[in-house]
Amino acid sequence: MKKLISTLIITLISLSSFCEADMQGLIQETQKLKQKGKSTSLIWWIPSEFWEMALREDPSLTEDQKVEFVKALDDYTAFVVVKMDAGILGGMTFKSREDILKNISLMVGNQEIDPIPIKNLSPDASSFYTMMKPMMGQMLGQFGQGMEFIIYPNKKNGELIIDPTKKGSFTYISYGVNNDWRLPLGNLMPPVWDPASGEVFPGNYKFNPFTGAKLIVKKEEKK
């Protein structure tokens, strides 16, 4: 488990130019960063598909190990929440986990989904999220120390509550501010293109936003 977490941490601290393009796109799709005055709020939704993508190119793990790891997290939906205020000299004051829990809610349709205490997760998932926060804190400094993992159930009657690959939506409310996601996530789908212009767009686009032309999935050419 520690080896897997270390692999994922390396991916997380390489969020920009060192990440492959589809990873960058997925990170952008799943993060909501808002600033108002000296207050900053980050909501990062991390579906299990993110971990699957992060491990995809790791040659040190077998395919079975990768599948088992993702399976251990598949019953849950994870959010990283950061709420901080900047001081006049640049110091950062973070809201506590207890304060965050009082000021957030996950809404899927008209239903509010309650978070699960980390100690009540499966043993593997509990171990993963318990170890992840301090390791991220060590590598990301003060900002990492302010990150809180909030975990929710993601299965009801055998069906996913939030499926990032299917049509749907949900809202994450943080300190009175709505953060909305419309599904599916484009970076988990095959890219689409405009045959006339040659432009390529995320897979959840139906039409070229500039010309209105219908987009299609480009078929791979046979070698």
Side-chain angles (χ1 to χ4, degrees), residues 192-201 208 211 213-216:
V192 291
W193 73 303
D194 182 342
S197 68
E199 294 171 289
V200 178
F201 298 92
N208 186 323
T211 67
K214 188 174 182 179
L215 302 173
I216 63 173

Side-chain angles (χ1 to χ4, degrees), residues 15-32:
L15 297 183
S16 55
S17 59
F18 297 102
C19 287
E20 56 189 73
D22 52 356
M23 177 68 82
Q24 289 185 43
L26 183 59
I27 291 169
Q28 291 173 0
E29 270 195 298
T30 52
Q31 286 187 351
K32 305 286 187 181

Side-chain angles (χ1 to χ4, degrees), residues 10 15 20 25-26 34 48-49 68 92 132 139 156 169 195 199 204:
I10 292 172
L15 297 183
E20 56 189 73
L26 183 59
K34 297 184 178 179
S48 59
E49 285 82 357
E68 287 301 310
M92 295 180 285
M132 179 63 80
M139 290 192 169
K156 184 177 181 180
S169 64
E199 294 171 289
N204 56 354

Side-chain angles (χ1 to χ4, degrees), residues 17 27 42 46 72 85 95 107 117 134 147 156 158 177 185 190 221-222:
S17 59
I27 291 169
L42 170 69
I46 312 181
D85 296 315
K95 298 295 185 182
M107 301 297 300
M147 302 172 81
K156 184 177 181 180
V177 177
L185 294 177
E221 297 180 359
K222 294 182 179 180

Side-chain angles (χ1 to χ4, degrees), residues 83-136:
K83 179 68 173 178
M84 74 170 200
D85 296 315
I88 191 170
L89 298 179
M92 295 180 285
T93 302
F94 296 94
K95 298 295 185 182
S96 67
R97 181 178 183 85
E98 292 72 21
D99 190 78
I100 287 173
L101 287 170
K102 293 176 182 177
N103 289 280
I104 55 171
S105 57
L106 171 61
M107 301 297 300
V108 181
N110 295 322
Q111 182 181 7
E112 182 174 358
I113 310 298
D114 293 326
I116 306 174
I118 289 181
K119 65 180 181 180
N120 292 345
L121 303 177
S122 69
D124 281 343
S126 178
S127 175
F128 172 72
Y129 288 114
T130 299
M131 295 172 64
M132 179 63 80
K133 184 181 186 307
M135 290 185 72
M136 288 181 70

Side-chain angles (χ1 to χ4, degrees), residues 71-86:
K71 185 178 178 181
L73 304 178
D74 207 30
D75 288 342
Y76 309 103
T77 291
F79 289 83
V80 166
V81 180
V82 180
K83 179 68 173 178
M84 74 170 200
D85 296 315

Side-chain angles (χ1 to χ4, degrees), residues 4 7-8 51-58 61 66 69:
L4 284 168
T7 299
L8 292 169
W51 305 118
E52 182 178 2
M53 188 179 293
L55 292 172
R56 187 169 58 195
E57 303 300 328
D58 183 8
L61 302 174
K66 295 174 186 179
F69 180 81

